[in-house]
Amino acid sequence: MGTLLRYLGFSPLVMLWLLASAAPSAAQDTLEIRKAMQAMENGDVESAVLLFNDAITSFPDSADLYMLRGICRVETGQGAEAMADYGMAIRLDPQLPEPLLERARLHVELGDLDAGLKDIRKCLSLAPDFVEALLLRAEINLETGNLEDAWSDLEAARRLAPKDPEVYCLRAEAQEFLGDLRRAIKEANLAVKLGPENPLPYATRAGVLLYSGNPQPALLDIEQAIALAPYQYSLLNTRAYIHWANGDSSAAMQDLAAYLEADTGAYTAYLTRAFFHESSGQLVEAEADLEQALRRRPTDVYILTMLGHVYVRMERFSRVVELMEPVVERSPELAFAFSSLGFARFKLGDEKAGLKDLNRSIKLDSGEPRAWYHRALVYIAMDKLDHACEDLLMAQALGFENAYPEDLKDAIRAACQKKGN
């Protein structure tokens, strides 16, 4: 099966069923369907869309054809058209679970997790043992911090598909999220063993190794993934992170430039480049990249939160509040959003509200160093230097110094050293 289809999680059984169910008197149309599928599998999605257009003209009541065209349209950046195709497929055959899953994927891609979960619930009500739907729901729950439900879906997926490497890839990501890197590596190793020709296990293990502080072996894994799937350009995003961790910023930027040249709609490349720019103090460039990402996902709370953090560093505090208030109302679990909002409110003169938001940020995620750092600055301003020193040392222990060493040193001099620490 081609790389595009593998990454989309689309089952070839549906394709075979579609071919078998085509009208026997329409041999030419069936040939066009075969050609469209072949183009899709080869990654030539532009040609596939045109071929599916012809097939749909002959088979206007085929839910499967609309779904397949929708998958191709997602790859060509036609999100609205793909959403319409999935909607038509669902209307034509409301008992077919696959269009619901693909529409859920697109909702998630566009940042609308609630709509994605709604479609997955409908999908699983039709097909309770649909492993790909369970994995997507687990992925959403991991992203939103709903760990218990995520792990429940991952356990169900493992029972249903004990030899599917992609199940173990997501289990590895879950273990990494939980901070158990030993188990994360174990799950990733199993995924590689089960799918040695599948690029996803190598990319997953590369990510875990990078997070574990082992960028050199991570580079070997991501190179293997790219060799297996040279046209899966999103792998360049992972390699860019690894190059950056290895201190090769030039190679990292080259990977992102190549990714964006191949896929102008790749919002993740803009996000990664924004992170690199922000880490290097190039805030204007980071803002520009985040604005590009936001054009592609205008309701994505994570992009908005990253932009809010950049505005904190640019001292545009009114803009931070304007951006972050709707974000925390919509997604009250986002600790990082409260960190930026709290510090901005404090800088605008609302000390009480600012401290409340920062306390909430730390309660939601005590491992986020920037919240500790921001609260320390508030305590310094309040002349509560003992509290400030404690928070600064916590920020240092959590890695704030790795990103902003001079900022932290200046704050420690202002608080800890003054108190004789």
Side-chain angles (χ1 to χ4, degrees):
M1 184 164 44
T3 300
L4 169 65
L5 302 184
R6 185 59 169 164
Y7 271 82
L8 286 169
F10 189 76
S11 171
L13 296 177
V14 176
M15 296 184 187
L16 295 174
W17 177 87
L18 177 59
L19 286 171
S21 63
S25 60
Q28 181 60 39
D29 293 312
T30 303
L31 179 61
E32 289 304 310
I33 294 172
R34 289 183 183 274
K35 288 181 178 178
M37 290 179 180
Q38 188 62 54
M40 185 180 182
E41 190 171 354
N42 291 338
D44 186 2
V45 288
E46 290 84 0
S47 296
V49 168
L50 297 176
L51 290 164
F52 281 127
N53 289 344
D54 294 339
I56 286 171
T57 299
S58 299
F59 297 99
D61 296 329
S62 172
D64 300 274
L65 288 175
Y66 278 101
M67 177 179 62
L68 291 167
R69 188 174 69 178
I71 291 172
C72 293
R73 280 177 158 173
V74 168
E75 290 298 301
T76 60
Q78 298 173 287
E81 292 84 353
M83 195 71 76
D85 275 345
Y86 295 149
M88 178 61 76
I90 292 165
R91 285 192 292 275
L92 287 169
D93 190 349
Q95 300 303 308
L96 193 64
E98 284 86 0
L100 286 162
L101 174 63
E102 296 304 330
R103 191 169 71 176
R105 292 186 198 279
L106 182 53
H107 280 308
V108 172
E109 174 70 17
L110 296 173
D112 194 344
L113 302 186
D114 290 337
L117 283 171
K118 184 177 179 181
D119 272 346
I120 294 172
R121 281 194 293 270
K122 291 180 182 177
C123 176
L124 287 169
S125 70
L126 297 170
D129 294 341
F130 198 167
V131 172
E132 290 166 4
L134 289 168
L135 291 178
L136 183 58
R137 188 167 68 180
E139 189 174 347
I140 295 171
N141 282 324
L142 282 174
E143 191 169 342
T144 57
N146 192 350
L147 303 182
E148 185 176 348
D149 286 347
W151 197 251
S152 176
D153 281 340
L154 289 173
E155 284 287 272
R158 182 181 60 82
R159 289 192 297 270
L160 290 165
K163 295 187 178 181
D164 186 341
E166 297 189 21
V167 171
Y168 297 95
C169 287
L170 194 53
R171 287 171 66 89
E173 291 180 20
Q175 294 290 4
E176 179 185 321
F177 187 87
L178 293 168
D180 194 336
L181 298 179
R182 182 184 63 83
R183 289 189 177 180
I185 289 289
K186 184 178 178 180
E187 299 276 7
N189 286 340
L190 182 54
V192 171
K193 182 179 179 180
L194 290 169
E197 300 303 317
N198 186 334
L200 185 59
Y202 294 100
T204 300
R205 190 168 67 181
V208 176
L209 287 168
L210 177 62
Y211 188 76
S212 306
N214 297 290
Q216 283 298 340
L219 185 59
L220 295 177
D221 267 344
I222 199 62
E223 295 286 8
Q224 179 64 27
I226 291 171
L228 289 168
Y231 300 111
Q232 189 62 39
Y233 297 108
S234 61
L235 295 172
L236 295 174
N237 194 66
T238 303
R239 192 171 69 179
Y241 268 110
I242 295 171
H243 280 314
W244 188 267
N246 278 319
D248 193 344
S249 59
S250 176
M253 289 299 190
Q254 287 174 14
D255 273 343
L256 294 177
Y259 185 11
L260 286 169
E261 183 178 355
D263 182 0
T264 57
Y267 76 95
T268 53
Y270 286 111
L271 286 178
T272 302
R273 196 166 66 183
F275 170 73
F276 293 163
H277 283 315
E278 190 264 335
S279 298
S280 303
Q282 298 172 294
L283 302 181
V284 173
E285 291 83 354
E287 178 191 12
D289 277 335
L290 289 170
E291 291 287 357
Q292 288 285 354
L294 201 58
R295 288 191 185 97
R296 288 153 178 80
R297 289 178 60 130
T299 62
D300 191 306
V301 294
Y302 297 99
I303 299 174
L304 290 166
T305 300
M306 287 183 66
L307 188 57
H309 173 66
V310 169
Y311 285 144
V312 165
R313 296 200 66 201
M314 297 174 82
E315 299 187 352
R316 295 173 61 181
F317 299 116
S318 295
R319 181 66 176 137
V320 175
V321 173
E322 181 184 346
L323 277 179
M324 291 300 96
E325 282 186 336
V327 167
V328 298
E329 182 176 349
R330 177 181 168 190
S331 302
E333 76 283 354
L334 291 182
F336 190 22
F338 279 106
S339 173
S340 296
L341 178 60
F343 189 66
R345 282 176 168 163
F346 161 72
K347 294 297 287 186
L348 291 172
D350 196 342
E351 183 179 282
K352 183 177 179 180
L355 193 56
K356 181 179 178 181
D357 283 337
L358 290 167
N359 289 339
R360 185 168 184 179
S361 177
I362 290 169
K363 184 176 181 180
L364 286 167
D365 183 3
S366 60
E368 169 51 60
R370 282 163 290 201
W372 294 96
Y373 174 73
H374 286 155
R375 193 173 71 173
L377 297 185
V378 174
Y379 282 141
I380 290 172
M382 297 170 67
D383 204 32
K384 294 183 177 181
L385 299 185
D386 286 334
H387 292 323
C389 181
E390 291 173 3
D391 279 2
L392 288 169
L393 294 177
M394 181 62 76
Q396 186 177 43
L398 292 171
F400 185 88
E401 188 174 21
N402 296 333
Y404 314 104
E406 293 305 318
D407 292 354
L408 187 63
K409 288 176 184 176
D410 289 344
I412 288 175
R413 279 194 293 269
C416 299
Q417 293 181 6
K418 186 180 288 188
K419 293 297 295 182
N421 294 318

